[in-house]
Amino acid sequence: MEVRRVAGTEDDPRAAELRRAVARLRRDLAAHPAELPDRAIADDELAALDAMARTGAPELHRLRRSLLLIAGALGSVSALGPALTSVRAAIDQFGSVPRTGIGRD
């Protein structure tokens, strides 16, 4: 699987959008009253996404991995769905990872 770095992200509007989306999800998660067993995982990965956006060289593969961990940690909490969708859309702006199908390596 190819891992691509995005050069020049410091002034990249995609990085700014990712940081805004992450901040929104962090706020929504902090305000969510339910006890989520994997909340710490989501918090850690949101911090990692923010750090990657700040560094200027996020790895697309790592962005996607963090998104998957966050989604798994949040489960099906519908109140957090719109903010999580915003994070996904911001990550999607960095490009796509080649998909593998059945019978492919």
Side-chain angles (χ1 to χ4, degrees):
M1 178 177 286
E2 177 185 353
V3 177
R4 297 184 335 198
R5 288 186 183 268
V6 179
T9 312
E10 186 174 291
D11 298 320
D12 191 336
R14 299 173 299 173
E17 181 60 31
L18 177 58
R19 291 190 60 227
R20 279 191 296 274
V22 165
R24 176 183 173 200
L25 183 52
R26 287 175 113 173
R27 281 191 309 271
D28 289 359
L29 181 58
H32 191 66
E35 197 57 40
L36 301 173
D38 293 329
R39 183 184 292 248
I41 293 170
D43 286 332
D44 289 348
E45 291 303 319
L46 286 167
L49 283 176
D50 187 59
M52 283 186 272
R54 288 176 188 269
T55 65
E59 295 178 6
L60 184 57
H61 177 69
R62 180 67 174 101
L63 293 172
R64 297 254 186 212
R65 181 180 176 277
S66 289
L67 178 62
L68 182 61
L69 289 170
I70 293 166
L74 299 181
S76 60
V77 179
S78 61
L80 300 174
L84 182 59
T85 299
S86 294
V87 171
R88 179 180 180 210
I91 289 172
D92 285 345
Q93 291 181 43
F94 285 94
S96 63
V97 174
R99 297 185 184 261
T100 59
I102 296 174
R104 291 186 181 175
D105 292 324

